[in-house]
């Protein structure tokens, strides 16, 4: 199921809560960064799906949520996404993936 999500959605975010109501500060930060970039994205609330919550950590070999994927590629968790956003690199990654 995770592979289908990641490959079937250009920008996929696994998070705690929903974009309109994040349930943790880290998820809220990533949602905020994506919104500032003006990016449409799909998301899954891992709190509703314990198997996905654990499965996504194994899928990416990354121990925490949120997790951002662009065009099937794992970009990172909150700290990495925020660093990329602040340095202007997230916009470049998203732009490059569109072409």
């Amino acid at each position: 199921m995770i592979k289908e999500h990641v490959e079937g959605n250009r920008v996929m975010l696994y998070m705690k809560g929903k974009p309109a109501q994040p349930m943790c500060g880290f998820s809220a930060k990533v949602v905020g960064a994506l919104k500032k970039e003006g990016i449409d994205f799909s998301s899954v609330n891992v709190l509703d799906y314990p198997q996905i919550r654990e499965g996504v950590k194994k899928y990416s070999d990354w121990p925490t949520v949120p997790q951002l994927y662009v065009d099937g590629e794992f970009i990172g968790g909150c700290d990495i996404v925020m660093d990329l956003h602040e340095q202007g690199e997230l916009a470049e990654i998203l732009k490059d993936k569109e072409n």
Side-chain angles (χ1 to χ4, degrees):
M1 179 179 281
I2 293 166
K3 183 176 180 178
E4 288 83 8
H5 288 163
V6 169
E7 292 178 355
N9 296 282
R10 188 175 155 272
V11 181
M12 184 70 208
L13 178 63
Y14 289 93
M15 62 178 291
K16 293 179 181 175
K18 299 176 183 173
Q21 189 174 15
M23 301 297 285
C24 83
F26 300 114
S27 292
K29 286 181 180 183
V30 174
V31 167
L34 291 172
K35 287 183 176 181
K36 286 178 184 173
E37 298 291 350
I39 296 300
D40 290 329
F41 61 95
S42 299
S43 66
V44 170
N45 177 2
V46 299
L47 297 177
D48 287 342
Y49 304 97
Q51 288 179 315
I52 291 177
R53 183 178 185 174
E54 292 308 310
V56 75
K57 294 174 187 179
K58 292 176 185 171
Y59 183 84
S60 64
D61 198 26
W62 193 259
T64 60
V65 172
Q67 292 188 12
L68 179 66
Y69 294 80
V70 178
D71 286 338
E73 181 181 341
F74 177 58
I75 302 301
C78 181
D79 290 343
I80 291 170
V81 171
M82 294 311 298
D83 286 346
L84 291 170
H85 173 64
E86 290 166 8
Q87 296 169 11
E89 293 178 34
L90 183 58
E92 290 299 311
I93 289 169
L94 295 166
K95 185 172 83 173
D96 288 345
K97 297 295 182 182
E98 289 178 347
N99 299 329

